[in-house]
Amino acid sequence: MKKILMFLAVAVSGGLAAADADACTGISLSALDGSQVVARTVEWAATPMQCGYVVAPRGHSHQSYTPTGENGLKYSSVYGYVGIYTEYEPFVVEGVNETGLSAGLFFFPQYGDYAPYDPAHNDKTLCDMQFVSWVLSQFSSIDQVKEALGKIDLVTLDHKIGAVHWRIAEPDGRMVVLEVVSGVPHFYENTLGVLTNSPGFQWHLTNLNNYVNLEPGSAPDHVLKPGVTLKSLGHGSGMLGLPGDFTAPSRFVRAAFYQATSPVWDNGFETVVQAFHILNNFDIPIGIQHQKTDIPKGMPSATQFTSATDQTAMRLYYRTAWNSNIRCIDLKKIDFRTVKYQSHPLDKVQEQPVEMICVR
């Protein structure tokens, strides 16, 4: 617990405010064969994070942290799951369980806040950073999560860090966003399938109306006045005005249009590959969020990992800032009755492999 609180303190007092350091972007796609894919990026521009994945079997014991220690809610896994964590194994930020239910954590600074922590309720207190693990280990549907949420106290370990919100998706395509504001949880049906960070989800949907003029393809020629005709300077001019910065509102708009204009592919694997191509556009170069004197060493990108989950085929794919090769964990090949709990780093070596081409 002491180590975790020290990390949180460093995150708050580091070279970047948490709101500037974290910039996650999530999308979802469907294939012609009915496959459902959810994908997202995870950014942290302050320092290189030690990320890994966990394999949690049925019956695995969990206990939540609270602001006073590892003394919160105790529960055992009903379902096995695979999840990707940041820094600490209990802090799973993205994953999928053996029923195909997916959950992901997205930073939500300045707009979300939980009810005050009450030590008298420790036995039902759940840390927000462990919410994803709780969902994946306990439930097979969104409605089950909704029903159970009223039976726990959701808290943060440090209010200085800011709140988070969550994306929960079923393998049939239903997705919701959960946001806690002034201690009150709100579920929003997310038929768009996009999520970024602050402001709230409904604000982002309203903001899309500011881009009603955008459309795929090229804009038609426009006669400004006799003798003066405006012509497109290149393909894709129908998207002139699409915001290109890295703020959450701009990323939400770009993700919505990239996702909506994507072709529908035949199967889940092709759709996963498409998701990675779309999310290439959200890979944040290191330095863009820093002053020149504050650029951290050892980070090739602020986008520390990108993942895509085929909820139908039960496969979790990922790549990292250090290795852009796509790797895959096949949940159907894991026997969650007998597998042992385990964790592994996302990268055994933080170095981009290069395939050398032999020319003769």
Side-chain angles (χ1 to χ4, degrees):
M1 179 66 182
K2 189 174 182 180
K3 185 179 178 183
I4 291 175
L5 291 177
M6 287 179 62
F7 169 75
L8 295 177
V10 170
V12 171
S13 61
L16 285 174
D20 298 322
D22 195 298
C24 305
T25 302
I27 61 173
S28 62
L29 298 169
S30 301
L32 289 174
D33 67 0
S35 297
Q36 298 293 327
V37 172
V38 291
R40 55 94 52 88
T41 66
V42 169
E43 279 79 22
W44 183 253
T47 56
M49 290 192 298
Q50 300 304 310
C51 298
Y53 67 87
V54 298
V55 179
R58 298 176 200 167
H60 179 67
S61 296
H62 301 258
Q63 182 163 24
S64 177
Y65 288 95
T66 76
T68 57
E70 193 176 5
N71 54 4
L73 179 70
K74 291 183 179 180
Y75 55 97
S76 296
S77 294
V78 178
Y79 302 105
Y81 66 89
V82 173
I84 299 178
Y85 67 86
T86 54
E87 290 293 338
Y88 298 100
E89 291 178 26
F91 293 176
V92 171
V93 299
E94 182 68 29
V96 61
N97 71 17
E98 59 181 310
T99 74
L101 187 71
S102 169
L105 175 156
F106 292 69
F107 201 54
F108 190 43
Q110 303 178 46
Y111 287 84
D113 55 281
Y114 315 109
Y117 165 61
D118 185 348
H121 295 172
N122 274 350
D123 61 345
K124 65 171 188 174
T125 295
L126 179 67
C127 164
D128 59 351
M129 296 298 293
Q130 293 170 270
F131 181 82
V132 170
S133 294
W134 179 66
V135 168
L136 297 178
S137 70
Q138 301 298 297
F139 309 111
S140 61
S141 74
I142 291 168
D143 287 338
Q144 291 174 354
V145 177
K146 284 186 172 183
E147 181 180 356
L149 187 62
K151 301 174 184 178
I152 65 167
D153 286 2
L154 197 56
V155 304
T156 180
L157 298 183
D158 190 332
H159 286 283
K160 297 175 184 176
I161 291 293
V164 298
H165 58 178
W166 298 269
R167 173 188 69 185
I168 307 170
E170 294 177 347
D172 63 0
R174 183 188 179 195
M175 179 186 295
V176 298
V177 173
L178 169 60
E179 296 177 346
V180 182
V181 178
S182 299
V184 180
H186 301 272
F187 285 92
Y188 303 105
E189 296 291 330
N190 187 353
T191 55
L192 178 63
V194 171
L195 187 62
T196 58
N197 311 106
S198 300
F201 176 67
Q202 289 188 306
W203 183 94
H204 285 293
L205 292 180
T206 301
N207 185 53
L208 283 177
N209 290 291
N210 286 317
Y211 302 90
V212 66
N213 60 298
L214 300 185
E215 58 183 21
S218 297
D221 294 351
H222 174 62
V223 179
L224 187 62
K225 61 181 295 185
V228 180
T229 299
L230 306 183
K231 297 177 180 289
S232 295
L233 294 176
H235 295 295
S237 58
M239 287 288 173
L240 277 172
L242 187 71
D245 61 81
F246 294 107
T247 62
S250 294
R251 286 184 286 106
F252 191 99
V253 173
R254 287 207 308 282
F257 279 94
Y258 291 157
Q259 174 183 288
T261 57
S262 170
V264 180
W265 295 85
D266 289 337
N267 56 56
F269 177 72
E270 292 175 338
T271 305
V272 164
V273 174
Q274 178 67 29
F276 277 109
H277 281 301
I278 290 174
L279 290 177
N280 282 341
N281 295 277
F282 300 90
D283 193 346
I284 300 179
I286 199 66
I288 198 72
Q289 294 172 291
H290 304 83
Q291 298 296 323
K292 288 186 177 181
T293 56
D294 296 326
I295 297 177
K297 295 182 179 180
M299 287 180 62
S301 170
T303 305
Q304 303 217 12
F305 74 81
T306 302
S307 69
T309 300
D310 184 336
Q311 295 176 264
T312 306
M314 303 292 294
R315 290 182 172 181
L316 188 155
Y317 300 80
Y318 72 88
R319 68 181 182 208
T320 71
W322 294 270
N323 184 346
S324 57
N325 288 359
I326 299 173
R327 285 148 279 175
C328 176
I329 303 171
D330 189 343
L331 274 73
K332 288 186 176 180
K333 294 184 177 179
I334 301 173
D335 187 341
F336 286 104
R337 298 170 301 174
T338 60
V339 70
K340 302 296 183 184
Y341 176 86
Q342 55 195 274
S343 67
H344 306 276
L346 293 188
D347 294 309
K348 293 181 180 179
V349 178
Q350 290 184 332
E351 181 178 338
Q352 175 62 49
V354 176
E355 179 183 357
M356 301 302 296
I357 304 300
C358 181
V359 179
R360 297 181 181 176

